[in-house]
Amino acid sequence: MEKGFNGHFDDDGRIRRTGTLMSASAHIITTVVGSGVLSLSWCFAQLGWITGIVLLVAFAIITWFTCLLLADCYRSPDPVTGTRNYNYMQAVKANLGGVSYRFCGLSQYGTQVGGTIGYTITSAISMAAIKRSNCFHKHGHDTGCHTLNNSYLLMFGAMEIVLSQIPNFHKLSLISIVATIMSFSYSSIGIALSIAKIAGGAHSKTSLTGIPVGQNMTSMDKMWNSFSAIGDVAFAYAFSLVLLEIQDTLKSSPPENKVMKRASTIGIATSTVLYMLCGALGYAAFGNDASGNYLTGFGFYEPFWLVDIGNLCVVVHLLGAYQVIIQPFFAFVESWSHSKWPESRFITKEYNFIGIYRINLFRLSWRTVYVILATLVAMIFPFFNSFLGLIGAGTYWPMTVYFPIEMHISKAKIERNSFTWIWLKILSFTCLIVAVLAAAGSIRGLVVSVSTFKLFHSVS
């Protein structure tokens, strides 16, 4: 028996981890198959069949490759027997040093905060869509049935205040499994409704290059929309920022990196199949008129109850995905506070509640304040597609491409200017250019949206 290791504890002295291939795959799918899937038919409309399919496949392959590199960074220096890096930032600090560590923290936590805001916006739109769907069924499809989103934003925020009291990532397995089931459910509903629309004789106009430049689309608008769509596709694969946190939940045998590589393969392959079906079938069903969110844009009106179920599944899924993406940020703030004020009972004291739950006053108060602030920002900037694109652009290059490649070069001691070094650098630089273009398109979309938006007056 190893020193410091027994039946209840792992080799680092922490309580034995119990995560498996199934739980890790569920965490990945929960994070990956999120609100991004709802915008893919719109992305296909901007990019066309050729570019849309090529980008989906390319982002999937690049993400899969860099995730394999990142999984080997959980332990340092040896990927099987080395010291554990409990999160992404620790891995960067161990392999690349202080400057990269600070840049990683800015990228990771900024993206996680942005992701929670995006999930809040999407969930509110889906809740409003349920009310609108019932209204359309009752009063006819020509009725506006518009509704303010503010009450739904507040409802989602209230539910997240409760869920945010889950103490850490290790307690999220059940939520992730439920959220994964929900993601499959609403994706399947969208696919089924698209197939039904196509089978019903829909003759929507599609194109190899997307919406053509013409009377309703200037060449400048076409360019900016295409850039924003690229960001949306990138966001669809943005889960690397929590990969090492997921890996830290796994049992130590078999080796964590091997299980994580298999889980990444399963998660990315599953997600890509769903994405391809949703994007391609949604584009075939709606053509160049595809809306930004194909369950709330009301290309589908009937059966109204199935549209309602699909949107309800979106809400339940994002309730869980919110926690999966934000828990590393919660852990960082609380760990820093513990080290800064170790004598403070407000920060460190845990109280038993009815013998089952443990409550910490600092965790309760600061997480509640965080959710309230995130909800407030979502009420101010409720722009679905542009927000997704900006998060995707900000996340994809640093967290999914740059840091995994740089850590691999450092760990493997790849010689500078060697063939491997050069092609890895070219891959990273190419993804950087794509990310900059996507960010530019999304920022432009936000500027246009803000110019016509009334504060706290988001309407579905």
Side-chain angles (χ1 to χ4, degrees):
M1 185 175 294
E2 296 177 26
K3 184 178 179 180
F5 180 89
N6 60 42
H8 299 289
F9 298 93
D10 275 331
D11 56 322
D12 60 345
R14 296 194 175 189
I15 295 174
R16 178 184 284 275
R17 295 160 177 83
T18 57
T20 62
L21 176 64
M22 178 180 175
S23 67
S25 300
H27 281 316
I28 291 172
I29 294 171
T30 297
T31 310
V32 177
V33 185
S35 50
V37 72
L38 304 172
S39 69
L40 290 178
S41 58
W42 178 85
C43 295
F44 270 67
Q46 311 312 309
L47 301 169
W49 286 113
I50 296 174
T51 307
I53 291 173
V54 168
L55 274 179
L56 264 181
V57 173
F59 277 122
I61 293 173
I62 293 170
T63 303
W64 172 76
F65 170 70
T66 57
C67 284
L68 299 187
L69 302 183
L70 188 57
D72 284 332
C73 298
Y74 174 62
R75 290 179 181 265
S76 298
D78 186 88
V80 177
T81 61
T83 302
R84 297 175 189 264
N85 297 307
Y86 300 115
N87 54 52
Y88 203 127
M89 286 183 64
Q90 284 189 6
V92 170
K93 188 174 185 179
N95 289 283
L96 299 178
V99 175
S100 295
Y101 171 74
R102 287 187 286 273
F103 176 46
C104 174
L106 182 64
S107 299
Q108 181 178 16
Y109 297 136
T111 300
Q112 288 168 343
V113 169
T116 59
I117 296 168
Y119 289 162
T120 304
I121 295 169
T122 308
S123 297
I125 293 172
S126 290
M127 285 189 273
I130 295 173
K131 181 177 180 179
R132 295 186 70 203
S133 174
N134 295 333
C135 175
F136 286 133
H137 177 72
K138 184 176 181 180
H139 300 291
H141 300 171
D142 294 329
T143 309
C145 291
H146 295 297
T147 180
L148 281 172
N149 290 337
N150 287 348
S151 60
Y152 302 107
L153 288 163
L154 293 172
M155 286 170 58
F156 184 81
M159 289 184 281
E160 286 300 346
I161 287 175
V162 176
L163 289 176
S164 291
Q165 300 313 311
I166 296 172
N168 55 54
F169 214 110
H170 299 267
K171 305 297 184 182
L172 292 177
S173 294
L174 180 59
I175 285 179
S176 280
I177 291 171
V178 172
T180 299
I181 294 171
M182 293 298 102
S183 66
F184 277 110
S185 298
Y186 68 72
S187 298
S188 300
I189 288 171
I191 291 168
L193 290 171
S194 296
I195 292 173
K197 189 173 179 67
I198 296 168
H203 299 291
S204 301
K205 187 175 181 180
T206 63
S207 168
L208 292 177
T209 56
I211 300 173
V213 174
Q215 183 177 358
N216 299 320
M217 177 67 70
T218 66
S219 57
M220 189 64 68
D221 287 338
K222 170 75 173 178
M223 179 187 72
W224 288 119
N225 285 354
S226 296
F227 290 164
S228 184
I230 292 170
D232 281 14
V233 177
F235 177 75
Y237 288 103
F239 84 97
S240 296
L241 70 167
V242 293
L243 185 143
L244 293 180
E245 282 82 354
I246 294 172
Q247 193 166 342
D248 188 47
T249 67
L250 295 173
K251 297 175 182 177
S252 55
S253 181
E256 302 94 350
N257 64 327
K258 292 185 178 180
V259 176
M260 198 64 212
K261 289 177 181 180
R262 291 175 61 197
S264 297
T265 302
I266 292 170
I268 293 170
T270 303
S271 302
T272 302
V273 171
L274 282 175
Y275 287 168
M276 197 65 73
L277 289 171
C278 290
L281 291 173
Y283 185 40
F286 302 112
N288 294 332
D289 295 324
S291 64
N293 182 326
Y294 78 167
L295 279 179
T296 63
F298 289 98
F300 309 116
Y301 289 97
E302 302 293 342
F304 78 100
W305 55 268
L306 190 57
V307 176
D308 289 352
I309 291 173
N311 280 300
L312 180 61
C313 289
V314 171
V315 175
V316 175
H317 171 257
L318 293 182
L319 282 169
Y322 187 114
Q323 292 306 311
V324 172
I325 198 173
I326 198 61
Q327 280 290 341
F329 181 60
F330 285 165
F332 166 74
V333 171
E334 286 153 23
S335 175
W336 180 84
S337 299
H338 275 246
S339 62
K340 185 74 173 177
W341 299 286
E343 304 300 323
S344 171
R345 290 175 59 84
F346 174 71
I347 292 174
T348 61
K349 178 70 173 176
E350 296 275 347
Y351 298 92
N352 283 320
F353 180 68
I354 64 173
I356 301 175
Y357 303 104
R358 295 180 66 83
I359 293 178
N360 173 269
L361 294 179
F362 174 66
R363 182 169 65 234
L364 175 65
S365 56
W366 108 261
R367 292 189 183 192
T368 299
V369 170
Y370 171 84
V371 174
I372 291 171
L373 291 176
T375 304
L376 182 63
V377 174
M379 294 172 74
I380 298 173
F381 300 107
F383 313 116
F384 178 73
N385 280 84
S386 295
F387 207 95
L388 287 187
L390 186 58
I391 295 170
T395 304
Y396 196 81
W397 178 70
M399 306 305 294
T400 303
V401 180
Y402 174 75
F403 285 122
I405 286 178
E406 292 300 313
M407 286 192 286
H408 174 69
I409 289 173
S410 176
K411 285 175 68 70
K413 295 180 172 55
I414 296 174
E415 186 177 348
R416 187 180 182 85
N417 296 325
S418 65
F419 173 76
T420 302
W421 186 91
I422 290 172
W423 79 258
L424 286 173
K425 290 289 187 178
I426 290 174
L427 173 62
S428 181
F429 182 73
T430 302
C431 290
L432 172 61
I433 297 300
V434 171
V436 170
L437 295 177
S442 299
I443 291 171
R444 189 257 186 182
L446 284 172
V447 170
V448 171
S449 298
V450 169
S451 65
T452 59
F453 174 67
K454 295 181 180 178
L455 196 63
F456 298 110
H457 199 74
S458 170
V459 177
S460 289

